[in-house]
């Protein structure tokens, strides 16, 4: 292991060596605990725990929180039982406490998780809770009511207490898993209701692309264009949120749309890279170049629209600056809607309209800014920066839409 010989087996015998160290550690725990079993103070301590099983439960829970591994605590408890330090009842309750400690650790380490990640966390906590509650109830039914259940079954398998503890651990883990499988539908339904997917997760789902799309380049490019059209159709919703930001069903803020766009654009870029690795004919190569350029313009346009809506959502005290922002937003919305129609219909008239709307307006915007600053001498620095930002972003969006329209026109 030290000299990595042979190197190709390093991971394999490294894992085996680690497992051997765990088993050796358990042997040391067993041997060390056996040395304390005959001590004078051990008898009264064990008698007090025997009379109060919840002490063993709390012991297993606290040790799991410290060690951060319920499996390690369960194995240690088995070793202590085999050494004669614990009875089967205390060992079982300590195992149940270790499982409860795992649920607490899962909650602590995943406190900031959201959406589907939160559902996974809640499922693990549900498993720990169901397992702990069910087997603690069975334990007290067996102890108080005298009904032969888990402990009786373990004792019936072997006379050795160590083997009995192993049997209890196996009954506990597999029984809890079986119980959760039987209760999975109501539990998972509650988890989905309490922890719904985040807005970005809902919007990030692709509708047409799939993992094997790139196996057929022609089909992949068609599917990519469909995804591009979906993303283009979403851009007016950024502006709709600025008009009315009140919450509602199916209504998401621009940040959620932007996060989803980044995810889907990544999928599109990955598929385009896979398609380019194929041996393509001339027509497919031209189509790949066209779709790639459309994707570049779409990414630039979305970034500009997102930044513009973020600026407009901040709000400003100056009514004239806010009014100018509203006019720019409505103009951009009309241009985007025209681009959507041009993409959808591929008609020359729609593309001509888009090209006419996106003619170079740099001189006009410069004149608007100068006139605005001259007429509004009392503008604050923030308002001036706001006007500069939104007018520059509008120019960038117009230029991008112009290039987008030219790419839509057939060669």
């Amino acid at each position: 292991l030290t000299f990595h010989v042979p190197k190709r087996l390093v991971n394999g015998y490294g894992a085996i060596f680690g497992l051997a160290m765990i088993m050796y550690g358990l042997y040391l725990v067993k041997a060390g605990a056996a040395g304390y079993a005959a001590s004078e103070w051990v008898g009264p301590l064990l008698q007090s725990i025997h009379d109060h099983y919840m002490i063993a439960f709390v012991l297993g829970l606290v040790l799991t929180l410290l060690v951060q591994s319920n499996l390690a605590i369960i194995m240690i408890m088995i070793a202590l039982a085999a050494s004669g330090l614990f009875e089967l009842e205390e060992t079982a309750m300590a195992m149940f406490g270790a499982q409860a400690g795992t649920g607490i650790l899962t909650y602590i380490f995943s406190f900031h998780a959201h959406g589907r990640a939160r559902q996974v966390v809640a499922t693990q906590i549900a498993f720990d809770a169901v397992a702990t509650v069910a087997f603690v109830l069975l334990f007290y039914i067996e102890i108080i009511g005298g009904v032969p259940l888990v402990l009786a079954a373990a004792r019936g398998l072997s006379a050795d207490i160590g083997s009995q503890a192993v049997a209890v651990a196996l009954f506990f883990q597999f029984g809890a898993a079986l119980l959760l499988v039987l209760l999975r539908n109501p539990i998972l339904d509650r988890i989905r209701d309490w922890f719904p997917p985040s807005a970005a997760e809902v919007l990030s789902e692709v509708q047409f692309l799939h993992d094997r799309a790139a196996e057929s380049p022609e089909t992949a490019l068609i599917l990519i264009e469909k995804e591009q059209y979906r993303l283009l159709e979403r851009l007016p919703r950024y502006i709709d949120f600025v008009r009315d930001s009140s919450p509602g069903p199916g209504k998401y803020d621009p940040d959620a749309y932007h996060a989803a766009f980044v995810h889907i654009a990544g999928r599109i870029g990955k598929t385009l890279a896979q398609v380019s690795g194929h041996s393509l004919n001339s027509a497919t190569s031209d189509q790949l170049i066209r779709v790639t350029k459309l994707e570049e313009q779409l990414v630039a346009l979305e970034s500009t629209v997102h930044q513009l809506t973020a600026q407009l959502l901040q709000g400003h005290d100056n009514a004239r600056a806010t009014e100018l922002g509203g006019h720019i937003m409505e103009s951009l919305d009309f241009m985007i809607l025209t681009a959507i129609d041009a993409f959808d219909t591929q008609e020359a008239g729609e593309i001509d309209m888009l090209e006419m709307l996106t003619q170079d307006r740099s001189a006009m915007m410069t004149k608007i800014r100068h006139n605005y600053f001259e007429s509004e001498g009392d503008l604050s620095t923030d308002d001036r920066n706001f006007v500069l930002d939104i007018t520059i972003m509008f120019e960038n969006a117009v230029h991008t839409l112009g290039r987008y329209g030219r790419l839509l026109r057939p060669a």
Side-chain angles (χ1 to χ4, degrees), residues 8-41:
R8 61 188 179 87
L9 297 178
V10 167
N11 294 331
Y13 57 68
I16 295 174
F17 180 73
L19 179 61
M21 292 299 292
I22 292 176
M23 302 307 295
Y24 180 58
L26 292 175
Y27 169 78
L28 292 179
V29 170
K30 178 182 176 180
Y36 289 99
S39 300
E40 296 180 356
W41 56 272

Side-chain angles (χ1 to χ4, degrees), residues 220-237:
L221 294 176
I222 294 174
L223 297 179
I224 288 173
E225 286 197 79
K226 289 181 177 294
E227 292 292 350
Q228 289 176 334
Y229 181 68
R230 285 182 61 234
L231 295 177
L232 183 62
E233 277 191 313
R234 286 181 176 181
L235 296 183
R237 301 180 191 177

Side-chain angles (χ1 to χ4, degrees), residues 320-359:
R320 291 291 302 279
T322 303
E323 182 182 7
L324 177 62
H327 291 322
I328 287 178
M329 180 185 71
E330 297 299 336
S331 300
L332 181 59
D333 186 38
F334 181 73
M335 293 182 186
I336 293 174
L337 291 174
T338 304
I340 293 172
D341 291 337
F343 195 118
D344 183 29
T345 63
Q346 299 289 317
E347 293 182 357
E350 295 289 347
I351 298 175
D352 291 340
M353 173 67 73
L354 179 61
E355 289 188 351
M356 182 190 71
L357 292 174
T358 56
Q359 292 176 359

Side-chain angles (χ1 to χ4, degrees), residues 42-124:
V42 174
L45 177 62
L46 294 180
Q47 186 61 38
S48 64
I49 295 178
H50 185 73
D51 294 335
H52 302 86
Y53 297 115
M54 287 306 297
I55 295 178
F57 181 90
V58 174
L59 176 64
L61 188 151
V62 172
L63 288 176
T64 300
L65 294 179
L66 294 175
V67 178
Q68 300 182 9
S69 171
N70 69 319
L71 181 60
I73 300 304
I74 289 175
M75 296 176 73
I76 289 173
M77 290 302 166
I78 292 173
L80 294 177
S83 68
L85 195 61
F86 280 154
E87 296 293 334
L88 183 60
E89 289 82 0
E90 293 85 42
T91 303
M93 284 298 285
M95 292 178 184
F96 303 156
Q99 194 72 37
T102 300
I104 296 174
L105 284 174
T106 302
Y107 177 78
I108 293 173
F109 293 147
S110 307
F111 181 77
H112 297 291
H114 298 284
R116 293 192 177 94
R118 191 71 167 177
Q119 292 179 2
V120 175
V121 172
T123 303
Q124 175 62 47

Side-chain angles (χ1 to χ4, degrees), residues 96 128-141 172 175-176 179:
F96 303 156
D128 297 327
V130 168
T132 303
V133 172
F135 276 83
V136 168
L137 287 176
L138 291 176
F139 176 86
Y140 278 106
I141 290 173
F172 180 41
L179 183 60

Side-chain angles (χ1 to χ4, degrees), residues 116 196-205 230 233-261 302 305-306 309-310 313:
R116 293 192 177 94
S198 65
E201 288 174 334
V202 173
L203 296 172
S204 295
E205 295 180 356
R230 285 182 61 234
E233 277 191 313
R234 286 181 176 181
L235 296 183
R237 301 180 191 177
Y238 294 41
I239 298 173
D240 290 339
F241 190 87
V242 178
R243 295 193 187 102
D244 181 14
S245 58
S246 58
K251 193 172 186 178
Y252 305 104
D253 61 82
D255 289 339
Y257 279 114
H258 177 67
F261 181 94
E302 191 278 339
V305 173
H306 177 243
T309 52
L313 284 171

Side-chain angles (χ1 to χ4, degrees), residues 91 171 189 308 311 323 345 365 381:
T91 303
F171 291 154
D189 289 342
L308 178 61
Q311 284 275 19
E323 182 182 7
T345 63
M365 296 305 300
T381 303

